[in-house]
Amino acid sequence: MLTHNCSYAQPLALNSVKIKWVDFNMEAFANVSCEDLDHSFNDGEKRSKSIFNKKDLLHFQSRLKGLKPIKPLQSFDVRGSVNLIYSKRNVKYCFDVFGHFYKDGNYYFNKQLLIYISDKIFVHHPEYLDTLRQYE
């Protein structure tokens, strides 16, 4: 007798997104790493916002698909992090002000994702983001 087992992989549902950031114009004495973001700035300088709206989460997921792997960066100065909260796991990306993202030792570029994040945390994203190009 043969048994047959069918299973289908379903994409994980994104339950919420938590964005932490400091002002993009804030200066630091040295580049801030992903691990040091929480300890490098005073509590008054850090902001956070959570996103729960399904429409916004769908837009966020569609922008995530545009992450393009890039070569490791010589200089990466973190100004925020994005925590993706799924039902069974959390995923964290750190970002700089130029559309570069970092996760688990890998670097990515996604201008549209940074613009989307900026539009969620500021009234309007900074104008320089519209002219950003990927530099490798």
Side-chain angles (χ1 to χ4, degrees), residues 71-83:
K71 297 175 186 174
L73 300 171
Q74 294 287 348
S75 176
F76 185 68
D77 196 12
V78 173
R79 286 296 176 263
S81 66
V82 177
N83 290 296

Side-chain angles (χ1 to χ4, degrees), residues 7-51:
S7 61
Y8 299 94
Q10 292 186 1
L12 292 174
L14 183 60
N15 294 332
S16 65
V17 172
K18 184 169 186 177
I19 305 168
K20 292 182 184 179
W21 77 95
V22 295
D23 189 298
F24 283 13
N25 294 320
M26 177 136 338
E27 292 186 25
F29 294 108
N31 284 349
V32 176
S33 70
C34 195
E35 296 79 20
D36 293 334
L37 178 64
D38 289 331
H39 309 292
S40 295
F41 300 98
N42 297 326
D43 287 338
E45 297 169 328
K46 293 181 273 189
R47 304 278 186 258
S48 68
K49 179 176 185 167
S50 294
I51 298 172

Side-chain angles (χ1 to χ4, degrees), residues 77-114:
D77 196 12
V78 173
R79 286 296 176 263
S81 66
V82 177
N83 290 296
L84 309 169
I85 299 141
Y86 296 94
S87 56
K88 297 189 182 203
R89 67 182 174 124
N90 295 344
V91 176
K92 179 181 177 180
Y93 287 90
C94 291
F95 60 88
D96 69 4
V97 299
F98 300 112
H100 300 114
F101 290 81
Y102 172 85
K103 177 183 157 298
D104 299 333
N106 297 307
Y107 291 90
Y108 305 88
F109 180 79
N110 189 328
K111 174 177 132 176
Q112 294 305 316
L113 179 57
L114 184 61

